[in-house]
Amino acid sequence: MTGNHQTLALLLFSAFVAVTLGITTWVSRNRHGSAEEFYAGGRLFSPMENGFAISGDYMSAASFLGVTGLISLYGYDGLLYVVGFLVAWLVVLFLIAELVRNCGRFTLADVVAARMNERPVRIAAGTSSVTVSVLYLVAQMVGAGSLVALLLGGSSEAARNWTVIGVGALMVIYVSLGGMRATTWIQIVKAVLLLSGSIALTVLVLVRFHGDVNELLRSAAERSGHGDAFLAPGLKYGGDWTARFDFISLGLALVLGTAGLPHILSRFYTVPTARAARRSVVWSIGLIGGFYLMTIVLGFGAAAIVGPEAVRGANAAGNTAVPLLALDLGGGANSAGGTVLFAVVAAIAFATILAVVAGITLASSASVAHDLYASMRRRHAKPRSEVAVARTAAVGIGAVAIALGLLARDLNVAFLVGLAFAVAASANLPVLLYSLFWRSFTTRGAVWAVYGGLVPALLLVLLSPVVSGSPDSLFPSVDFQYFPLQNPGLVSIPLGFLSGWLGTVTSAEPPDEAKHAETEVRSLTGAGAV
């Protein structure tokens, strides 16, 4: 990229960072220091505000950079992510949103522990939530590194590494100082920026093809080098039965994983009532649905205008397709329009990453403090000391995410998020659904459901082509690949549900009928909800 690109994009980066740090500083001066303020923003947000914040949390680097990159490289098969990410919200709307808001206080473990032996359940759910959050954070870090590498010409490994470290440092500052209120407003600002940028790029792509979507698809297919196969299933997931099973596994993970993501579940506690939580989801479905429709246009637009070879040349995983598309739509590498549009899109993508990592870090630090720390004390931590632990936890989680982000820098961000969704669907969703809907569910069942999904999911990833045994692996020089699928969801999700059932039916502890009845009434009516 030219010096003009770098200067303008860095100025826009700096402007967004300055605005978000300003929001964080302002909020930190007005906060009360209570747990409710830090974890849930005082539960003062309206459904519309929370809907924008949820969509800001959800429309991550995986969506803006990774999904469009996959569509530009693999055509139809890249659409699986769009369908999976969007359909998942129907599960959240109809099964989760209101019930979680009524039953919980700050975290997933609050919902489960309401009718169980609290300590083992909180430790299990807290461990799972932190694991999912760290995996999700790694994807955002990789996206940040790819973006800045492109901005600096793709040659500076040191710049990419320092970018990952800088993003990690900023997210710790956002969470430590501002808590949920600052994080929510950062998400709202980011959602507006991302939607505005996506709309502008989508309009420019459609104008380039005179509004003819058929012509856009034909051009993308021709430029791809695959012809009509680019517009048909099978380019990425149709080579053999292993690839097809990977397709099914990924689809399951995407559709079921959203309802188990800690940073999404924590959003339902920032509104005053369960009705407001449901209305928040309706707002977010509208915003997210519109955004994913635009990513389809952008993905095929990148294939038709930039070309898959140029996309791969800038980043092998396709993470830089959208900035390259913006550069071309603005007039090319040496034009003023191209420079401006590229810089704006790069800054929006960077803003996306910063906002999402703040939300995930807050959710995971809440799990450490509210679930793990509070459970391991003989007495529950006082709210102020618990908040102090959460701030400290944010630093540790940031350090782990930075280290893993440096290690996984060459993987596609949408693919990495698919792994996080698989772990969430395997460990968090079974225990959540059983707790809400199964009268006979017990403490042993809850603990087994979490670990019975979490451990196999992580173990299968370690033994998969993601880590070793292929040129695209994290460790290509070694081979301990014994599991053929890249996404473990097809095996680990049923194992999570099976483990929860097995733990319950073999448990000597009788189910607490009174607590289940209380939880059922509370979840459906809101009586006694915080």
Side-chain angles (χ1 to χ4, degrees):
M1 299 297 116
T2 65
N4 289 335
H5 293 89
Q6 293 179 22
T7 304
L8 186 55
L10 290 171
L11 283 173
L12 290 169
F13 287 174
S14 303
F16 181 80
V17 170
V19 168
T20 52
L21 286 175
I23 291 171
T24 304
T25 305
W26 174 72
V27 168
S28 66
R29 289 177 178 173
N30 292 280
R31 60 180 171 79
H32 308 299
S34 66
E36 185 168 293
E37 175 72 24
F38 184 80
Y39 295 141
R43 310 190 202 279
L44 298 174
F45 291 99
S46 69
M48 184 182 76
E49 290 169 344
N50 199 43
F52 269 89
I54 290 172
S55 61
D57 244 334
Y58 198 68
M59 297 183 303
S60 66
S63 305
F64 193 53
L65 301 178
V67 172
T68 47
L70 285 172
I71 294 173
S72 71
L73 297 179
Y74 300 106
Y76 184 96
D77 278 9
L79 295 179
L80 172 64
Y81 285 86
V82 173
V83 175
F85 283 148
L86 188 53
V87 171
W89 279 98
L90 299 178
V91 179
V92 176
L93 178 63
F94 291 116
L95 289 181
I96 300 298
E98 283 193 44
L99 307 185
V100 166
R101 174 62 187 84
N102 283 335
C103 286
R105 189 162 173 242
F106 301 129
T107 64
L108 163 71
D110 289 336
V111 180
V112 183
R115 50 178 290 217
M116 308 290 173
N117 184 358
E118 198 164 327
R119 192 173 184 224
V121 168
R122 283 196 180 277
I123 291 172
T127 302
S128 172
S129 295
V130 172
T131 304
V132 172
S133 298
V134 169
L135 282 172
Y136 211 109
L137 280 171
V138 170
Q140 311 309 314
M141 300 296 194
V142 170
S146 299
L147 196 65
V148 171
L150 174 68
L151 184 67
L152 299 177
S155 58
S156 178
E157 197 64 43
R160 180 187 292 203
N161 294 342
W162 278 108
T163 301
V164 171
I165 294 168
V167 170
L170 281 169
M171 77 185 187
V172 171
I173 293 170
Y174 293 147
V175 172
S176 300
L177 291 180
M180 178 59 86
R181 191 171 295 188
T183 301
T184 300
W185 281 112
I186 291 168
Q187 296 287 15
I188 291 170
V189 171
K190 165 261 173 132
V192 171
L193 287 174
L194 183 59
L195 288 167
S196 302
S198 299
I199 290 169
L201 286 178
T202 302
V203 169
L204 288 172
V205 169
L206 293 175
V207 166
R208 176 74 67 94
F209 292 93
H210 309 291
D212 189 341
V213 176
N214 287 334
E215 180 60 30
L216 166 63
L217 296 176
R218 277 195 297 270
S219 298
E222 289 171 8
R223 188 81 183 267
S224 72
H226 297 287
D228 290 342
F230 191 71
L231 305 178
L235 200 58
K236 181 173 174 62
Y237 295 108
D240 53 27
W241 280 107
T242 300
R244 292 172 190 175
F245 279 124
D246 235 336
F247 182 90
I248 297 169
S249 188
L250 179 62
L252 276 174
L254 296 180
V255 170
L256 300 177
T258 300
L261 291 176
H263 66 292
I264 297 298
L265 294 175
S266 66
R267 282 261 153 238
F268 300 136
Y269 302 126
T270 63
V271 290
T273 64
R275 183 169 180 267
R278 179 178 279 268
R279 289 175 61 200
S280 297
V281 176
V282 173
W283 268 99
S284 63
I285 287 175
L287 295 168
I288 292 165
F291 171 75
Y292 279 118
L293 287 175
M294 290 187 284
T295 62
I296 297 172
V297 176
L298 298 181
F300 283 111
I305 296 170
V306 179
E309 290 307 313
V311 171
R312 277 198 183 91
N315 180 271
N319 294 331
T320 53
V322 173
L324 291 173
L325 174 64
L327 185 64
D328 201 298
L329 289 172
N334 298 313
S335 66
T339 299
V340 171
L341 198 56
F342 173 88
V344 168
V345 168
I348 289 173
F350 197 70
T352 295
I353 291 163
L354 284 180
V356 171
V357 296
I360 302 166
T361 307
L362 179 61
S364 52
S365 61
S367 291
V368 170
H370 186 63
D371 299 328
L372 298 177
Y373 171 71
S375 296
M376 290 176 183
R377 287 172 58 102
R378 290 188 178 275
R379 297 176 182 175
H380 288 297
K382 294 179 180 179
R384 286 184 184 274
S385 64
E386 191 179 292
V387 169
V389 171
R391 293 195 174 102
T392 305
V395 178
I397 290 162
V400 173
I402 288 169
L404 292 175
L406 295 174
L407 184 65
R409 59 181 175 264
D410 293 323
L411 296 180
N412 182 277
V413 288
F415 166 72
L416 285 169
V417 163
L419 295 182
F421 273 63
V423 177
S426 304
N428 291 349
L429 185 64
V431 72
L432 187 58
L433 292 181
Y434 279 150
S435 297
L436 291 172
F437 299 110
W438 190 10
R439 182 179 298 275
S440 302
F441 199 43
T442 63
T443 300
R444 177 190 279 186
V447 173
W448 282 26
V450 173
Y451 292 128
L454 178 65
V455 174
L458 295 178
L459 191 61
L460 291 174
V461 170
L462 287 175
L463 300 177
S464 75
V466 176
V467 176
S468 71
S470 74
D472 299 326
S473 302
L474 290 179
F475 303 106
S477 59
V478 294
D479 186 0
F480 45 89
Q481 175 198 332
Y482 299 103
F483 180 66
L485 305 185
Q486 292 190 326
N487 192 291
L490 187 62
V491 176
S492 59
I493 295 171
L495 280 178
F497 281 98
L498 179 63
S499 300
W501 172 81
L502 193 61
T504 298
V505 298
T506 60
S507 175
E509 167 199 0
D512 193 324
E513 296 283 345
K515 281 190 176 179
H516 171 74
E518 182 184 334
T519 301
E520 189 173 41
V521 170
R522 181 172 169 178
S523 67
L524 294 174
T525 67
V530 178

